[in-house]
Amino acid sequence: MKLNYKFSNLLGCVYRKGNLVFSSDGEKLLSPVGNRVTVYDLKNSRSNTLQAESTLNITSMALSPNGNLLIAVNEEGVAILVNISNGAILYRYEFHSPIECIKFSPDGRKFAVTKGNSVLVYNTPGQTAEINPFIVDKRFLGMHDVTLSIDWTSDSRVLCVGSKDMNAYVIATQRFENLLFKPLGGHKDAVVANFFQRDSLDLITISELGELCVWESDTDLVDLVPEGSVIAEDSERSSDEESETEGQSSKRHKAEKRLDGKKLKKDYRDYVYFTRTNKFSLKEGNGRVTAADFNKTTNILVTGFETGIFLIHEMPHFVAISSLRISEQSITALTMNPSGDWIAIGSSGLGQLAVIDWMSMSFILKQQGHFNNMQCLAYSPDGRLIATGGDDCKVKLWDVTDSFCFYTFTEHTAPVTGIVFNNKSKAVLSSSLDGTVQAFDVIKYRNFRTFTAPAKRSTQFSCLAIDPSGDMVTAGAKDNFEIYLWYMKTGQLINILGGHEGPVSQLTFTASHSILASASWDHTVRLWDVLSKEGKVAREVIQMSSDALAVTYRPDGRELAVATLDGQITVWDVHSATLTHTIEGRHDLGYTRRENDKISAKKASESKSFRTLCYTADGSCLLAGGQSKNICIYSVADQILLKKFEITCNLSLDGISEFLDRRKMTEWGNLAAIDDGQGDRSHGISLPGVKKPDFSSRQFKPEVRVSCVQFSPTGMSWAATTTEGLMVYTIASNVVFDPFDFAADITPASIRQTLAETNYRDALLKAFRLNEKSLITEVIEQIPVNEIGYISQNLPEVYVDKILGFVAWQIEQSVHLQFYTLWAKKMLEAQATSLKTRPASIPVINALQKGLSRMECIEGVYEYVTGMLDFMKNVSKSPASTDRVVEDMELTVE
């Protein structure tokens, strides 16, 4: 089995905190998701999470104008420089202080950073050949409090900075004779946003209280005089004054009156002067301003508030265009695309991300992850969909192809504890602590059946399973320790299985027989033959050394794996109920400690265990996860650890560090035990019913853990529900050379020579031995159709799965759909007997089934096109009908 699985995508978490960034073409949106960054391709409706990972949650981001470099800064001011094309981290840099805002200049040569009460201007990495790509160009001081926002002029020579000291500062990044440093007051609270107008020094400043000030400059950008340039003589100045307009003249006279009697080193008329022309109020009961953005091309200003409302105005005359509400939660981030058509909005309270076309009032993108922990997941049998359930009482459906959530079921009223698809991928079932099992139609998106326990036996369900035929549904109880069986088609309760003396932790059916395995906290695993007359009594009772937490069957149903509270994984033979293998996995979970632990990491590891198990698609290995940041793959036959995956290095989560951070230890105790109120607001705990700011609220760090792992039926990927979200790992596709049964005489030239000799079978086998997809495609597409049946019947058994897997992949990717469908038909007809006897062929069959499901979509398109052609033929035969159709089209156009 190949183990080159790599992190592929992060689902279930679309936005956590920080600012949003559009690409220069406006087609992609970058969103911070914890300590990673997800790129949403709005044009092609796809999403992808970058491989780059910070050590803490990301709070500020900036994308270079050419779209090649991304700078992401975390909560403690540690920046990572990321190459967008491959997601690789190029450099790490420490600012040694939290960063509120970072922004590239329009020309891409510099970027500015707000650090404390100062502003730092850096040269863009790659400008010079330096070991340290972060070179400080300028440092500006003079602000009296923390700086919050930055904006550049169109020529990248001047920037404006908003501060908590209720002032905005216009700062020249180059030395000018008439501009260096200019403070602008007039606000009653912190300046959270400031924007220059296009090709001008005129600007807009917005305070947290909703005060909007419009400032007008008496100098254009082109009139800024570089230091050392010759200043105009008095005669030239007097001629300029004669040519002034009435408005400019009055502005100059006001300046003369204000500065009259003051002694200046230079003529005051040489300095840039700003006048506040208008002051507007944005508040009007909307609360405090939390985010704002201004598009300089269209002069559209968008402001977001803590009440979830955002306003759209046209500047500089403050013309109200629209007022909308995205949710009841505060808007955390807001940005517009370069053309000004789309507005991206992020809300950390709900983990919500939306892109709105404000002109048509339609959603381009609307995604919301589970705003609480995810507890369970399930792949559909064809591998195209993933269903997840969480503590937020929701069931979400995700498309594996584009990584988007396309539907959410909200029928549950308590946390979801189990989820499973039926055998035809047309329905998904979920169990919950509200005492119900809900069945949802995946095609019509509706709840079509609800399973409950009898009124006198009402209980909370902790797990769920469905038999291979899809006719029986079973759920395990948490409080009365019983197992309930229902008939799927009618919803009738068939049987109640008793015998457990502790909560039922997990249920699972064999793939070929209706043998139910149930794991419980009473140190037992029971096997039930639910179809027999004696179904109420367990066929086998397997005694465990500790509480049984997870149980799973091997894909062929001959082996059973159980995870227990003492950290062991035991493997049992199903027919004889004998122990075959034991894996001691407690130490593989890793030595980590929580911040408030009074014991060492090694001692804390003694209480850890695996909480979820899953066999790989071929049944040779076990995938296990639990109370740790590690997911382990074990070889069952050899009882050894093959590979360990670390799901995150995010120190914003608890249970990541191995050693005590002595910087937080003082003579009064651990600083981690002190709540300073600066944590992640999304994890704040407040009193019930409190909506206003609550001084009793507390912050906490969620502990890292893996609640569920599942392998895709195709064997090409696996997914895990973690504290960070739904993490998907796929087999790395960047392997350059990975041959099978390689020999020195197997070369592309020899393969093409064999193909030219019309020895198609040997050419195909040699191509698979070299294992280059492009070469295999070249060979297989030159094989005549009449030779496919002969080659399919005379293949060595070791090549059958490889050829079928390649055919399944081509059915999804290639335009030669009929050709590869014929290959699949001939291969299945010739190798059906051998495929049934090999469990390792199950992933290949599932992949083939997933590819053939594409035929349903194509069939619909074919019927539509043929129908339109028939209609056009009928219309063309009748001139009168043609004239009538033309008249209808003209009326429609009018």
Side-chain angles (χ1 to χ4, degrees):
M1 175 187 173
K2 293 183 179 180
L3 299 176
N4 56 329
Y5 291 93
K6 288 189 177 181
F7 173 78
S8 171
N9 214 340
L10 177 62
L11 287 69
C13 180
V14 295
Y15 174 77
R16 186 68 59 83
K17 62 190 299 187
N19 64 312
L20 302 171
V21 179
F22 269 106
S23 61
S24 57
D25 57 4
E27 296 180 355
K28 295 182 180 180
L29 176 67
L30 279 71
S31 172
V33 285
N35 65 333
R36 299 178 184 268
V37 177
T38 298
V39 181
Y40 294 93
D41 189 340
L42 303 177
K43 182 179 179 180
N44 300 316
S45 297
R46 293 179 180 272
S47 68
N48 178 48
T49 304
L50 300 180
Q51 296 285 340
E53 188 177 8
S54 180
T55 54
L56 291 166
N57 286 335
I58 293 173
T59 57
S60 300
M61 296 190 307
L63 183 66
S64 61
N66 59 11
N68 293 332
L69 296 178
L70 172 71
I71 300 178
V73 188
N74 64 23
E75 295 170 337
E76 292 187 353
V78 179
I80 55 175
L81 179 65
V82 182
N83 185 349
I84 288 292
S85 60
N86 57 13
I89 296 179
L90 305 178
Y91 194 77
R92 294 182 184 268
Y93 182 80
E94 292 190 15
F95 289 106
H96 302 287
S97 178
I99 302 299
E100 295 291 339
C101 183
I102 179 172
K103 195 168 186 178
F104 276 94
S105 61
D107 61 6
R109 295 183 178 181
K110 300 181 184 299
F111 67 90
V113 175
T114 61
K115 178 182 177 182
N117 63 341
S118 64
V119 177
L120 305 178
V121 178
Y122 288 79
N123 293 323
T124 299
Q127 299 288 334
T128 58
E130 298 285 347
I131 296 177
N132 179 10
F134 287 77
I135 305 297
V136 180
D137 182 59
K138 298 285 192 305
R139 184 189 301 269
F140 299 101
L141 305 173
M143 285 64 77
H144 303 287
D145 207 335
V146 176
T147 49
L148 301 175
S149 57
I150 293 176
D151 192 45
W152 290 83
T153 54
S154 302
D155 62 355
S156 305
R157 297 192 297 170
V158 181
L159 58 85
C160 183
V161 180
S163 174
K164 277 189 177 181
D165 62 4
M166 300 180 287
N167 292 323
Y169 299 88
V170 179
I171 304 171
T173 59
Q174 302 177 14
R175 292 185 177 273
F176 296 110
E177 293 286 352
N178 51 349
L179 179 62
L180 180 61
F181 186 90
K182 186 70 176 180
L184 305 175
H187 292 286
K188 297 179 181 178
D189 207 337
V191 178
V192 295
N194 45 268
F195 309 102
F196 282 108
Q197 296 189 30
R198 185 177 183 180
D199 299 327
S200 174
L201 283 173
D202 299 344
L203 70 150
I204 301 168
T205 58
I206 303 173
S207 71
E208 192 174 358
L209 285 178
E211 299 168 317
L212 186 148
C213 295
V214 181
W215 302 85
E216 185 178 336
S217 170
D218 63 347
T219 307
D220 292 331
L221 284 173
V222 295
D223 295 330
L224 294 177
V225 182
E227 187 179 42
S229 299
V230 179
I231 301 178
E233 299 293 336
D234 293 338
S235 59
E236 296 178 358
R237 183 180 296 125
S238 61
S239 63
D240 291 340
E241 291 174 359
E242 291 176 0
S243 62
E244 284 180 348
T245 63
E246 182 180 351
Q248 293 172 337
S249 178
S250 62
K251 188 187 299 185
R252 181 173 57 81
H253 287 305
K254 287 182 181 179
E256 292 176 357
K257 185 177 180 181
R258 292 186 181 184
L259 298 174
D260 187 23
K262 293 186 178 181
K263 185 178 180 181
L264 299 175
K265 294 182 180 180
K266 292 184 178 180
D267 192 337
Y268 66 89
R269 288 175 293 184
D270 292 336
Y271 291 94
V272 177
Y273 184 76
F274 289 89
T275 305
R276 190 177 68 190
T277 58
N278 283 303
K279 186 174 183 179
F280 305 100
S281 176
L282 290 165
K283 195 172 182 181
E284 299 178 359
N286 296 327
R288 291 182 173 269
V289 177
T290 54
D293 195 23
F294 177 70
N295 187 272
K296 299 178 182 180
T297 305
T298 59
N299 287 331
I300 298 298
L301 175 70
V302 185
T303 49
F305 297 86
E306 62 182 357
T307 56
I309 294 175
F310 65 96
L311 306 179
I312 304 175
H313 291 86
E314 184 178 2
M315 301 303 293
H317 303 295
F318 198 67
V319 179
I321 298 177
S322 182
S323 175
L324 302 171
R325 182 189 293 274
I326 185 71
S327 68
E328 297 292 336
Q329 296 290 327
S330 173
I331 293 177
T332 312
L334 188 151
T335 186
M336 298 183 72
N337 69 335
S339 63
D341 300 329
W342 297 346
I343 303 172
I345 300 172
S347 175
S348 62
L350 294 175
Q352 189 176 30
L353 178 65
V355 179
I356 302 174
D357 187 337
W358 64 271
M359 292 184 181
S360 62
M361 298 300 174
S362 60
F363 283 99
I364 306 300
L365 170 70
K366 187 178 181 182
Q367 291 286 297
Q368 179 179 334
H370 291 277
F371 60 84
N372 215 324
N373 290 335
M374 301 173 68
Q375 292 296 335
C376 50
L377 76 98
Y379 270 99
S380 61
D382 56 10
R384 294 186 302 164
L385 305 178
I386 296 179
T388 58
D391 288 345
D392 57 356
C393 317
K394 294 180 180 179
V395 174
K396 290 181 176 289
L397 298 178
W398 305 83
D399 193 319
V400 175
T401 305
D402 58 23
S403 305
F404 281 130
C405 173
F406 62 91
Y407 202 82
T408 301
F409 299 103
T410 59
E411 277 73 12
H412 284 297
T413 58
V416 179
T417 56
I419 198 163
V420 65
F421 278 92
N422 71 340
N423 58 343
K424 297 181 180 179
S425 300
K426 295 183 178 180
V428 62
L429 294 89
S430 60
S431 62
S432 172
L433 294 180
D434 61 4
T436 64
V437 174
Q438 305 282 354
F440 304 102
D441 191 330
V442 177
I443 299 175
K444 297 181 179 179
Y445 307 121
R446 63 184 180 90
N447 172 235
F448 67 90
R449 191 152 290 121
T450 300
F451 306 92
T452 59
K456 295 182 180 180
R457 292 172 176 256
S458 59
T459 183
Q460 294 180 318
F461 294 126
S462 58
C463 52
L464 178 69
I466 187 170
D467 76 321
S469 64
D471 295 333
M472 284 187 298
V473 180
T474 63
K478 187 176 183 180
D479 41 10
N480 59 14
F481 319 144
E482 293 176 334
I483 300 173
Y484 297 83
L485 280 79
W486 297 274
Y487 189 52
M488 180 69 178
K489 293 182 178 179
T490 62
Q492 180 182 0
L493 182 65
I494 301 174
N495 206 345
I496 299 177
L497 307 180
H500 281 297
E501 299 177 357
V504 181
S505 55
Q506 193 167 357
L507 299 173
T508 183
F509 274 100
T510 58
S512 55
H513 304 87
S514 296
I515 304 298
L516 176 68
S518 61
S520 173
W521 292 7
D522 61 0
H523 297 203
T524 62
V525 171
R526 296 174 183 260
L527 304 182
W528 314 79
D529 190 352
V530 295
L531 296 180
S532 67
K533 296 181 179 180
E534 300 177 353
K536 289 188 176 182
V537 181
R539 193 181 74 175
E540 292 286 351
V541 178
I542 304 175
Q543 197 69 30
M544 298 289 119
S545 59
S546 184
D547 297 2
L549 304 179
V551 61
T552 183
Y553 275 108
R554 199 169 68 182
D556 60 359
R558 299 177 183 177
E559 201 171 77
L560 186 73
V562 184
T564 54
L565 189 62
D566 57 4
Q568 289 185 348
I569 299 175
T570 53
V571 181
W572 302 78
D573 184 271
V574 174
H575 298 291
S576 62
T578 57
L579 179 65
T580 58
H581 304 94
T582 301
I583 300 173
E584 182 62 48
R586 171 165 288 172
H587 298 292
D588 298 328
L589 286 169
Y591 298 132
T592 57
R593 65 188 309 278
R594 296 187 294 268
E595 284 190 342
N596 294 325
D597 281 350
K598 309 298 183 183
I599 56 178
S600 65
K602 186 175 182 179
K603 190 69 176 178
S605 67
E606 296 180 4
S607 63
K608 295 181 180 180
S609 57
F610 292 111
R611 299 301 177 98
T612 176
L613 290 175
C614 178
Y615 271 96
T616 56
D618 59 0
S620 62
C621 300
L622 267 173
L623 192 66
Q627 297 171 293
S628 170
K629 62 180 180 180
N630 298 319
I631 297 177
C632 304
I633 291 185
Y634 292 97
S635 171
V636 177
D638 300 326
Q639 305 176 44
I640 59 173
L641 176 68
L642 297 180
K643 193 168 184 178
K644 185 188 295 185
F645 299 91
E646 184 176 309
I647 60 174
T648 184
C649 62
N650 189 1
L651 295 177
S652 297
L653 303 177
D654 209 357
I656 294 292
S657 301
E658 181 178 354
F659 302 103
L660 181 66
D661 189 353
R662 299 192 178 275
R663 294 174 297 179
K664 295 183 178 181
M665 295 302 298
T666 66
E667 56 182 319
W668 297 282
N670 190 356
L671 291 177
I674 302 174
D675 180 21
D676 59 359
Q678 300 296 323
D680 188 354
R681 290 186 180 182
S682 63
H683 297 121
I685 304 175
S686 60
L687 294 177
V690 174
K691 294 184 179 179
K692 299 294 183 181
D694 179 19
F695 293 103
S696 69
S697 63
R698 296 292 179 263
Q699 307 294 331
F700 76 99
K701 295 175 68 174
E703 184 179 356
V704 63
R705 64 178 58 208
V706 179
S707 55
C708 185
V709 293
Q710 281 289 324
F711 243 93
S712 168
T714 62
M716 300 300 293
S717 64
W718 56 269
T721 54
T722 68
T723 310
E724 290 275 43
L726 176 62
M727 309 188 78
V728 180
Y729 287 76
T730 58
I731 291 180
S733 59
N734 57 351
V735 179
V736 178
F737 186 60
D738 185 20
F740 168 76
D741 193 18
F742 183 66
D745 59 339
I746 305 297
T747 63
S750 65
I751 294 172
R752 292 187 177 96
Q753 179 64 31
T754 307
L755 185 64
E757 296 171 356
T758 67
N759 191 350
Y760 300 113
R761 175 184 174 276
D762 291 347
L764 183 62
L765 296 182
K766 288 182 178 180
F768 272 95
R769 291 178 66 182
L770 196 60
N771 203 15
E772 288 284 343
K773 283 188 176 180
S774 59
L775 187 60
I776 295 174
T777 305
E778 178 185 343
V779 172
I780 200 170
E781 291 184 356
Q782 292 189 42
I783 297 176
V785 175
N786 56 1
E787 294 286 336
I788 296 177
Y790 170 76
I791 295 175
S792 300
Q793 295 174 1
N794 294 276
L795 284 174
E797 187 175 326
V798 71
Y799 289 95
V800 172
D801 291 344
K802 293 184 177 297
I803 295 177
L804 266 179
F806 180 80
V807 169
W809 177 76
Q810 285 287 12
I811 288 176
E812 289 191 65
Q813 305 291 331
S814 177
V815 295
H816 305 297
L817 187 60
Q818 183 181 5
F819 177 75
Y820 286 105
T821 306
L822 181 61
W823 262 101
K825 178 184 177 182
K826 295 296 184 181
M827 288 287 295
L828 292 175
E829 289 176 351
Q831 303 291 337
T833 305
S834 62
L835 289 173
K836 287 181 180 179
T837 59
R838 290 202 310 273
S841 301
I842 295 176
V844 177
I845 300 299
N846 290 329
L848 191 61
Q849 181 184 2
K850 178 184 176 183
L852 291 175
S853 62
R854 179 187 174 193
M855 299 290 291
E856 299 176 2
C857 304
I858 296 177
E859 183 180 357
V861 175
Y862 171 76
E863 292 177 356
Y864 173 78
V865 172
T866 52
M868 288 296 296
L869 290 174
D870 293 339
F871 171 75
M872 294 172 68
K873 289 179 181 178
N874 294 333
V875 170
S876 63
K877 291 178 181 178
S878 174
S881 301
T882 306
D883 296 339
R884 193 181 309 114
V885 172
V886 172
E887 290 175 1
D888 293 341
M889 293 176 63
E890 291 175 352
L891 290 173
T892 304
V893 171
E894 292 177 359

